[in-house]
Amino acid sequence: MFGGTNKRAGIAAGIAAAGLAFAGTAPASAADLGGNCCADLEERVAELEATTARKGNRKVSLTVSGFVNEALVGWDDGRERNAYIVTNETAQDRFRFVGQAEITKGWTAGYLLELGVRGAREDRSSQNGPSSDNGVSVRHSAWYLAGKEYGKVWVGQTSDAADGITEINLANTNHFAYTNSWGNTFGDGGSGFYVRRKDGVLSNVRYGQFVAPGAQQAAPGEGHRFNVVKYETPTIAGFTGSAAWGEDDIWNVALRYTGEFSGFKLAGGIAYTESNDFGSADHTSAVSRGVGDTSEIGLSGSILHVETGLYASGAYGRLHDAGLDDLYGRNVDDNTSFWTLQAGIERKFLPIGKTTLFGEYFNLDRGAGYTTSATGSGIINASTLGTGFNQVANSQIQGWSIGLNQNLSEVVDLYLDYKHVQLDVTTTNGTATRDASIDSIQFITAGAQIKF
């Protein structure tokens, strides 16, 4: 039915176009026949258009966008090396649909639908091979109502107030480096690469067990995407505030700033989060960040000198888990914190696009901690680290990296990144402590992000 209607409309439109073309080439005397020669035809075209099915698409705009970000990751754990093709989880492949409609003057409503796509998942790969955890996932599914002078309210699965708070960076590197790229490279959520001892033995403990649990990966203080109600204030003098509540167990508030002063671009933000969604052997959740009440603070900032392209970006986060003492049955170190600093230069050395050169340092200190897995949660079993003790008193992940990104016509980014990671673990039997002897692990990532 719809096909037939559109066909007739197309024929009528073609006849109209031919008529107009003929009118433009005919002698002037032909125009004297009357100014309404095409009135009947135009009326028929309008009638056909009126019968075409509509679903409000002339009132609600629709924008489709996204990108693909695949890479080659090579690794060397001191005894074994290999390379995999993976989806770069620092900026996962995705496509999004954004709609917006004006309700009345100064008020709009809209929606955001975004799906993530994975081939081989980078943060689940290990010495056993690339991850087979692939597929399509829902990243955003939410609507909003916005008033120009009153701010915006979101409802649905979308970013909470703290999402991206430790990732503020004015340089073009967030699709493969900075903050969460570390956990995505060596592992997160209790997964990832296994820890290699210096005597060559491969333990059954993974790097992902030594980062903060939950969907936020290696960055305490970082937010994520949940089912939330979120409010964002209008931007005033460069500042924007936000607050979110959701999953019936989590809430956070944040303040962000962007501006430019005396030839420098500035950006920064800070957020505070509380959650009482406990992790346990029979209850795991993306919201869960500990085995008791957790509180977090996260912040980041970036400065870029416009003329030279020199920039520096830094981030910090801290998480407190009030349930660890009960889990261990004694007083333990129940804080996890991290900081990172990236600095470099970004400017147009080549006519094809801007080049970014940078170096970065990452440090993550974790206390006793606990691990999550598909079968539940509990104390990390460190018995294969070779110390004779099976519990972790504290740990530290330190890493440094150098990288390069070359932008091509604003739609393609080619990147290369080298990371050197060292894990230090102190184990305990509850009274005495011993340091494990762990080899370093290295990664080199080469890939591209293509936007559409």
Side-chain angles (χ1 to χ4, degrees):
M1 176 179 177
F2 297 136
T5 302
N6 292 333
K7 183 176 180 181
R8 291 194 297 272
I11 293 172
I15 294 171
L20 291 173
F22 176 77
T25 58
S29 59
D32 296 335
L33 295 176
N36 297 323
C37 65
C38 298
D40 291 342
L41 182 59
E42 291 174 353
E43 182 179 351
R44 179 57 179 159
V45 170
E47 180 183 357
L48 290 172
E49 287 180 345
T51 63
T52 303
R54 296 191 183 96
K55 296 187 180 297
N57 57 322
R58 292 207 173 178
K59 293 184 178 180
V60 181
S61 65
L62 172 63
T63 302
V64 181
S65 63
F67 55 78
V68 175
N69 189 4
E70 300 289 317
L72 172 68
V73 176
W75 56 269
D76 184 341
D77 68 2
R79 292 297 179 96
E80 185 181 356
R81 61 177 65 92
N82 210 331
Y84 309 140
I85 302 296
V86 298
T87 299
N88 195 323
E89 286 293 312
T90 302
Q92 174 197 5
D93 300 352
R94 68 196 63 175
F95 52 95
R96 60 165 47 194
F97 306 90
V98 179
Q100 179 174 298
E102 184 177 7
I103 301 173
T104 186
K105 186 176 181 180
W107 287 90
T108 59
Y111 62 87
L112 169 60
L113 297 175
E114 182 175 289
L115 301 179
V117 182
R118 292 186 172 102
R121 184 168 176 170
E122 179 188 20
D123 55 359
R124 298 292 189 267
S125 299
S126 71
Q127 287 91 336
N128 293 333
S131 169
S132 59
D133 182 9
N134 57 17
V136 178
S137 61
V138 177
R139 292 174 55 87
H140 296 270
S141 179
W143 59 263
Y144 71 82
L145 181 65
K148 185 177 181 180
E149 299 178 357
Y150 301 95
K152 181 184 292 186
V153 174
W154 287 90
V155 177
Q157 178 173 309
T158 191
S159 297
D160 65 12
D163 193 15
I165 203 66
T166 66
E167 302 173 344
I168 297 172
N169 189 1
L170 292 171
N172 185 25
T173 65
N174 273 14
H175 52 286
F176 71 102
Y178 194 53
T179 308
N180 275 333
S181 70
W182 293 89
N184 284 314
T185 300
F186 54 68
D188 81 313
S191 299
F193 282 80
Y194 290 94
V195 176
R196 175 83 67 178
R197 293 174 3 197
K198 283 189 175 179
D199 61 8
V201 175
L202 191 66
S203 75
N204 62 4
V205 180
R206 299 177 186 246
Y207 281 88
Q209 296 177 253
F210 295 94
V211 302
Q216 297 86 334
Q217 302 161 345
E222 177 59 30
H224 198 59
R225 299 175 303 277
F226 301 119
N227 292 297
V228 297
V229 176
K230 180 175 67 172
Y231 170 69
E232 298 174 334
T233 70
T235 300
I236 302 173
F239 289 93
T240 304
S242 57
W245 169 89
E247 303 284 358
D248 81 33
D249 288 311
I250 187 171
W251 66 269
N252 46 31
V253 293
L255 181 66
R256 292 173 171 84
Y257 172 79
T258 58
E260 189 167 348
F261 180 75
S262 298
F264 288 89
K265 288 185 177 180
L266 304 171
I270 185 171
Y272 177 79
T273 301
E274 285 193 4
S275 172
N276 62 354
D277 191 356
F278 306 154
S280 64
D282 59 353
H283 177 65
T284 58
S285 166
V287 182
S288 173
R289 290 287 267 173
V291 289
D293 290 341
T294 57
S295 59
E296 301 179 63
I297 186 169
L299 57 92
S300 61
S302 185
I303 182 170
L304 182 146
H305 186 239
V306 177
E307 183 177 355
T308 64
L310 293 171
Y311 79 93
S313 303
Y316 169 81
R318 182 179 181 275
L319 180 151
H320 175 255
D321 182 354
L324 284 177
D325 287 350
D326 290 338
L327 178 66
Y328 281 80
R330 63 179 187 276
N331 290 330
V332 296
D333 185 351
D334 53 11
N335 292 314
T336 300
S337 64
F338 95 103
W339 64 273
T340 187
L341 178 65
Q342 183 184 108
I345 185 170
E346 180 172 283
R347 60 186 305 169
K348 200 169 185 178
F349 296 107
L350 303 173
I352 54 177
K354 288 186 177 180
T355 304
T356 310
L357 297 166
F358 68 90
E360 185 175 355
Y361 181 81
F362 176 87
N363 187 92
L364 174 69
D365 289 303
R366 191 166 188 212
Y370 83 105
T371 184
T372 61
S373 68
T375 58
S377 306
I379 297 173
I380 299 172
N381 186 345
S383 59
T384 59
L385 289 181
T387 63
F389 296 159
N390 64 355
Q391 292 185 6
V392 175
N394 55 72
S395 64
Q396 182 181 52
I397 296 176
Q398 300 177 77
W400 60 269
S401 73
I402 54 174
L404 163 70
N405 185 79
Q406 179 61 59
N407 181 260
L408 306 177
S409 301
E410 299 185 358
V411 295
V412 178
D413 286 291
L414 303 176
Y415 56 83
L416 181 66
D417 180 52
Y418 168 81
K419 283 184 170 65
H420 183 279
V421 179
Q422 178 64 52
L423 170 66
D424 298 315
V425 179
T426 300
T427 62
T428 182
N429 60 0
T431 54
T433 60
R434 292 177 183 170
D435 293 332
S437 182
I438 298 171
D439 213 341
S440 61
I441 187 168
Q442 303 171 75
F443 300 91
I444 185 165
T445 304
Q449 180 190 67
I450 301 179
K451 303 174 185 177
F452 59 87

